[in-house]
Amino acid sequence: MASHWFNPPVYVKTDRPGLRFGVSHVEAASEQLLKWTKKGPKWAYAVSVCRAALAEEVPPQEARKAFEAAAKEEKMFLPPV
């Protein structure tokens, strides 16, 4: 299975203090979404857009936008350094 890359990466918090994770493809975005404990409306939308991107129904860049919005909503987003 090929990765569905997007650019620029979206940086999110990890469970390890001081460590950030740069998400640069739909598969990693999907994995991160499933790890989060909070799951608001933007989270649910990001999950559906990631599924559509994996099925190649929408471009990976759409999944990136939805993932970033969900990360901001859930307070997981970290700005690039």
Side-chain angles (χ1 to χ4, degrees):
M1 170 165 71
S3 294
H4 299 85
W5 297 95
F6 52 72
N7 197 25
V10 176
Y11 291 93
V12 295
K13 297 177 185 177
T14 67
D15 55 357
R16 297 177 59 192
L19 191 63
R20 61 196 298 122
F21 183 70
V23 177
S24 57
H25 55 84
V26 178
E27 290 79 2
S30 299
E31 289 174 14
Q32 288 299 307
L33 287 165
L34 294 177
K35 291 180 181 181
W36 297 351
T37 54
K38 294 181 185 176
K39 297 178 170 121
K42 291 182 182 178
W43 177 89
Y45 178 70
V47 168
S48 68
V49 174
C50 283
R51 285 184 184 155
L54 291 170
E56 300 189 11
E57 297 169 357
V58 299
Q61 210 59 25
E62 290 298 315
R64 184 202 176 283
K65 285 195 270 186
F67 177 69
E68 182 175 323
K72 287 178 178 177
E73 177 183 68
E74 304 305 329
K75 308 285 192 264
M76 296 298 289
F77 179 77
L78 294 171
V81 287

